[in-house]
Amino acid sequence: MSDLGGIIYFMELKLFGFIEEVLDELESRRAVLEEVSKELADFFEEILDGTNKGYLNINTRVKGANSLKEKIIRNQYYQKYETKELLFQNVPDIIGVRIECRFIQDEADLYKYIKRYFNEKSEEHKELYFNSKRPNILLSLAGKQPQEQKNGMKIYRIDGKYLEGELEVNFEVQIKSLVNVFWGEIEHKVIYKNFNYVIADKFYKDIMKSIKNSLSTIDQQLLLISNQFDQSEEDSYVTQEEHMEKVLAKIIYDIFAIKMKESIGVLVDFKKSCEAIVRYVFRDMLGKEVSRRGKQMMIGFEKVGNINKEGIDFTQKLEFESEPHYEDAYTEMIGRHIQERINEEFQWNLFFRILFALEPENNCEDFENFIHYYTQKVYSKINDSKLNSNFTDEETIEIIRRLVMVFSECFVKINSVELLYDSMLEQALKQINSVTEAIYKNVLTYEQWEKEKKIYIDLLEVRLLMMFNIEVEPSKVLAILDGIRITKSNIEVPKGMMKYIYKLG
């Protein structure tokens, strides 16, 4: 036993001593490798620019110390190569070049273009090809592409070699569509980085495979939209934008479904929350002209991909770094209501847990920004154009502010995350604008508004509460009807209000 222990100890010393030598060598070469990396990026940028093959972006990186250390241990390079020089001659991806494109179909087109460009075979380096314009950059193009990975997925991965005098650097080129870039990030962080724990769990493997299949389906749908858009006019902008929102919402849902199952063992339906969050988080990306939308969507995928950098524990409370600041009374009313319930009611907690995971600021700032955005969205969509014909600008503003305050008060009474969804908010805005229309038709002066405003305030409250079947005092409905009768106003009363009157009998 003692002899065996000594052998194991000697092997450990040899392994980690070799790794330390290799990592020291990597750092000594890093400045040169960074220069080569930049040169490769410029080279591929130059040859692909203007190809019209769906190319979007090129990323390069020099292998990090931890990544190289993992690779040495995982692939047992310490047994294959006796010296650090031999290792650097044989590691295929000291530099990585990733060519990003829009669709899976574009991957094949880009590979074929590159293969045609590297059209001369090297006599000195077997199986490597180059172009006479840059003979020092060579690619291995004899093998079958795309290659099949251990997980069964396929990838365009090409080994390359950069030569400059005595310098010889191996690099690897990957061609990846948007969905495959995103999938690679998920797999690397959720599966690869947690191999011992996750890979043995069939549930996670099945979920990850399901996400990959979903992404492939999304890719095909986006391709169909893109092809359709190429044949259509500007009026398809809205359709494409809506589909983009749904794509991003589905990806967010799939990621958080895995994390929720891992954290609390159950799943609940939160698709609508994802859609509302996408509309908010990607509000700067959506609405861009189509020529820029590809790059914007890549930013969106990268933003969503960052969710996997840290684990998410659904059992932990959400904390604010400081007390949120609100710009007006109705924003404060909504904000403080949510603050009180964010760690008490699961749907509120889930909505903002997802939002905070996606947004770049701290929780307090993210919360302030969202609540401000939400109330401004309400305020901006109230139709005040007709009121301006009866009232001054200042008077119109005061009336609108009062109606928004009623909305905020009802938000608290209703206490449902559904009011953050676009579909429900649109219904609420429809009720508010119905009341503003009634004010325009029946109230001609601000003095009259001051006398009769309770009718319209109570009417709006009843309309909003009715959307969620919230109980309304019959006496309040009766007072509204009496007010309409006394003032002889022409106000349309919802049929559903009458059910409250029947309760008086």
Side-chain angles (χ1 to χ4, degrees):
M1 287 297 292
S2 59
D3 290 342
L4 181 59
I7 292 171
I8 293 172
Y9 180 65
F10 173 76
M11 289 176 64
E12 287 179 348
L13 284 178
K14 185 177 179 181
L15 163 62
F16 292 108
F18 177 71
I19 288 174
E20 188 174 345
E21 287 182 16
V22 170
L23 297 186
D24 287 343
E25 181 68 18
L26 176 65
E27 290 310 306
S28 70
R29 298 187 183 195
R30 185 166 295 279
V32 173
L33 293 174
E34 292 290 354
E35 285 296 321
V36 174
S37 176
K38 184 178 184 304
E39 189 174 334
L40 288 171
D42 293 341
F43 168 71
F44 282 100
E45 186 93 37
E46 181 182 340
I47 69 171
L48 293 175
D49 192 35
T51 61
N52 198 30
K53 297 294 181 185
Y55 146 75
L56 286 175
N57 192 35
I58 291 176
N59 283 319
T60 60
R61 62 101 186 100
V62 176
K63 202 163 195 65
N66 286 338
S67 179
L68 183 56
K69 181 179 180 180
E70 287 177 3
K71 192 154 195 167
I72 291 170
I73 297 172
R74 189 173 67 252
N75 295 330
Q76 300 184 346
Y77 284 163
Y78 56 91
Q79 294 180 356
K80 296 178 182 178
Y81 309 117
E82 294 183 357
T83 66
K84 60 187 178 183
E85 289 77 17
L86 276 174
L87 183 139
F88 277 95
Q89 288 174 21
N90 288 278
V91 172
D93 61 342
I94 290 298
I95 292 176
V97 179
R98 188 170 76 193
I99 301 171
E100 297 168 351
C101 54
R102 295 177 303 169
F103 306 115
I104 294 173
Q105 175 181 292
D106 295 331
E107 294 177 349
D109 291 340
L110 282 168
Y111 174 73
K112 291 174 185 176
Y113 179 85
I114 290 171
K115 192 171 183 179
R116 286 194 299 269
Y117 184 86
F118 287 79
N119 53 9
E120 298 188 37
K121 190 171 184 179
S122 173
E123 295 182 3
E124 182 180 354
H125 301 275
K126 294 181 180 180
E127 307 300 328
L128 296 184
Y129 292 78
F130 65 94
N131 185 282
S132 58
K133 293 179 180 179
R134 290 295 300 272
N136 68 317
I137 297 177
L138 304 96
L139 292 182
S140 174
L141 297 169
K144 182 182 178 182
Q145 296 286 352
Q147 299 177 15
E148 187 165 312
Q149 303 175 86
K150 291 180 180 179
N151 60 13
M153 306 304 175
K154 294 185 177 180
I155 183 174
Y156 284 91
R157 181 164 49 204
I158 311 163
D159 290 335
K161 196 176 288 292
Y162 174 93
L163 306 172
E164 190 67 47
E166 296 295 318
L167 179 65
E168 182 175 313
V169 179
N170 295 332
F171 66 90
E172 179 183 89
V173 177
Q174 294 185 4
I175 306 172
K176 285 190 171 185
S177 62
L178 289 171
V179 295
N180 280 335
V181 168
F182 182 70
W183 162 252
E185 291 295 317
I186 296 176
E187 184 188 42
H188 187 70
K189 291 166 183 170
V190 175
I191 296 292
Y192 176 74
K193 288 293 186 182
N194 301 282
F195 185 84
N196 290 332
Y197 174 70
V198 177
I199 200 67
D201 192 325
K202 186 174 184 299
F203 170 78
Y204 287 98
K205 291 168 68 177
D206 291 344
I207 286 290
M208 296 304 290
K209 188 173 182 180
S210 173
I211 291 175
K212 181 62 170 72
N213 291 336
S214 296
L215 288 172
S216 297
T217 301
I218 288 166
D219 175 87
Q220 290 300 307
Q221 293 170 338
L222 286 172
L223 178 59
L224 289 171
I225 288 176
S226 179
N227 291 340
Q228 176 65 29
F229 186 82
D230 289 341
Q231 303 169 18
S232 63
E233 300 297 330
E234 298 292 319
D235 60 2
S236 65
Y237 280 18
V238 174
T239 301
Q240 192 175 27
E241 183 173 294
E242 288 175 352
H243 194 83
M244 187 187 295
E245 290 179 34
K246 290 180 180 178
V247 167
L248 292 167
K250 175 166 176 52
I251 292 170
I252 293 170
Y253 182 86
D254 287 343
I255 292 172
F256 272 87
I258 294 173
K259 292 182 177 293
M260 185 185 296
K261 182 70 176 178
E262 178 185 0
S263 179
I264 61 177
V266 296
L267 290 176
V268 297
D269 186 5
F270 56 99
K271 295 184 183 70
K272 293 291 186 182
S273 288
C274 291
E275 291 171 6
I277 291 167
V278 163
R279 166 54 66 177
Y280 168 69
V281 172
F282 298 101
R283 59 196 180 282
D284 294 329
M285 182 186 79
L286 302 169
K288 298 289 185 183
E289 61 270 23
V290 175
S291 60
R292 295 176 57 196
R293 204 167 281 170
K295 290 242 181 189
Q296 292 293 328
M297 192 168 186
M298 172 60 78
I299 293 170
F301 276 122
E302 289 177 353
K303 199 169 188 178
V304 174
N306 288 333
I307 296 172
N308 287 297
K309 286 185 177 178
E310 298 180 3
I312 296 178
D313 187 349
F314 286 82
T315 65
Q316 294 297 309
K317 289 185 176 182
L318 291 174
E319 302 290 346
F320 292 104
E321 296 79 2
S322 59
E323 183 64 24
H325 170 73
Y326 304 104
E327 297 184 5
D328 48 63
Y330 38 86
T331 301
E332 182 173 6
M333 182 173 292
I334 290 175
R336 292 202 180 281
H337 173 77
I338 296 174
Q339 272 185 266
E340 291 172 3
R341 283 158 178 76
I342 201 167
N343 288 316
E344 302 293 333
E345 299 178 18
F346 185 73
Q347 287 293 348
W348 287 118
N349 185 279
L350 175 61
F351 185 95
F352 286 95
R353 192 175 293 278
I354 298 171
L355 179 65
F356 294 163
L358 286 167
E359 281 292 84
E361 308 295 341
N362 60 48
N363 290 356
C364 183
E365 290 182 38
D366 293 338
F367 187 74
E368 289 173 350
N369 291 339
F370 177 80
I371 299 301
H372 176 72
Y373 158 86
Y374 180 75
T375 53
Q376 285 304 304
K377 187 175 181 180
V378 174
Y379 194 92
S380 65
K381 291 194 174 184
I382 296 176
N383 185 8
D384 61 357
S385 58
K386 290 184 177 180
L387 293 181
N388 282 322
S389 62
N390 293 356
F391 308 100
T392 66
D393 290 344
E394 292 76 12
E395 291 168 350
T396 299
I397 290 171
E398 284 303 315
I399 293 172
I400 297 300
R401 282 177 177 168
R402 188 65 190 92
L403 297 179
V404 175
M405 182 57 77
V406 174
F407 170 81
S408 300
E409 292 165 354
C410 289
F411 187 101
V412 172
K413 291 179 181 179
I414 293 168
N415 185 34
S416 172
V417 74
E418 291 182 29
L419 271 171
L420 302 182
Y421 305 162
D422 280 354
S423 58
M424 294 306 296
L425 184 56
E426 285 172 7
Q427 288 187 43
L429 286 165
K430 185 177 179 181
Q431 303 302 329
I432 297 173
N433 284 321
S434 174
V435 172
T436 59
E437 178 73 16
I439 295 169
Y440 160 71
K441 288 180 179 179
N442 296 282
V443 182
L444 303 180
T445 67
Y446 195 73
E447 289 73 18
Q448 184 183 355
W449 161 255
E450 288 289 349
K451 292 177 182 178
E452 301 177 5
K453 63 183 178 183
K454 183 170 173 49
I455 299 172
Y456 301 95
I457 289 171
D458 289 350
L459 177 63
L460 177 57
E461 180 184 354
V462 171
R463 279 179 169 271
L464 291 172
L465 295 179
M466 283 173 57
M467 286 173 49
F468 287 84
N469 295 315
I470 304 295
E471 192 67 27
V472 177
E473 285 292 328
S475 58
K476 175 168 284 192
V477 176
L478 189 60
I480 293 171
L481 296 176
D482 284 343
I484 293 172
R485 178 180 56 80
I486 293 168
T487 59
K488 300 180 180 178
S489 300
N490 181 20
I491 299 175
E492 181 181 351
V493 176
K495 293 180 181 178
M497 276 180 59
M498 302 310 297
K499 68 180 180 181
Y500 299 106
I501 299 297
Y502 299 147
K503 292 181 181 181
L504 289 173

